[in-house]
């Protein structure tokens, strides 16, 4: 039951969601209720020196900018 990161294409909101292997539904953005979301590649949970990243990890630039991502 991994937790995946998603970015909403409609409002650029970054969110995480627990996805079960049997679940085939598209996640809904908790900010704007849009189903137009994309799954992001995670940056990993452990830094090279072994210190956990915690909740303040890497945020993809496309989710920080306005519509169009760039």
């Amino acid at each position: 039951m991994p937790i995946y990161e998603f970015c909403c294409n409609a409002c650029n909101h970054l969110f995480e969601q627990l996805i079960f292997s049997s679940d085939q539904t598209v996640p809904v953005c908790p900010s704007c209720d849009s189903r137009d979301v994309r799954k992001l590649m995670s940056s990993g949970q452990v830094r090279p020196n072994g210190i956990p990243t915690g909740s303040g990890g890497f945020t993809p630039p496309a989710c920080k900018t306005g519509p169009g991502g760039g």
Side-chain angles (χ1 to χ4, degrees), residues 19-36:
I19 303 291
F20 295 94
S21 59
S22 61
D23 191 3
Q24 298 297 318
T25 60
V26 176
V28 176
C29 175
S31 179
C32 71
D33 294 326
S34 174
R35 290 193 181 272
D36 184 17

Side-chain angles (χ1 to χ4, degrees), residues 2-4 11 14 17 19-20 22 29 38-39 41 44 46 50-53 55 57 65 68 70:
I3 295 175
Y4 291 100
C11 72
L14 179 67
Q17 186 165 337
I19 303 291
F20 295 94
S22 61
C29 175
R38 66 184 181 277
K39 190 187 304 185
M41 183 180 295
V46 179
I51 299 171
T53 59
S55 62
T65 61

Side-chain angles (χ1 to χ4, degrees), residues 8-12 38 61-70:
C8 177
N9 292 321
C11 72
N12 288 321
R38 66 184 181 277
C63 285
K64 289 183 176 181
T65 61

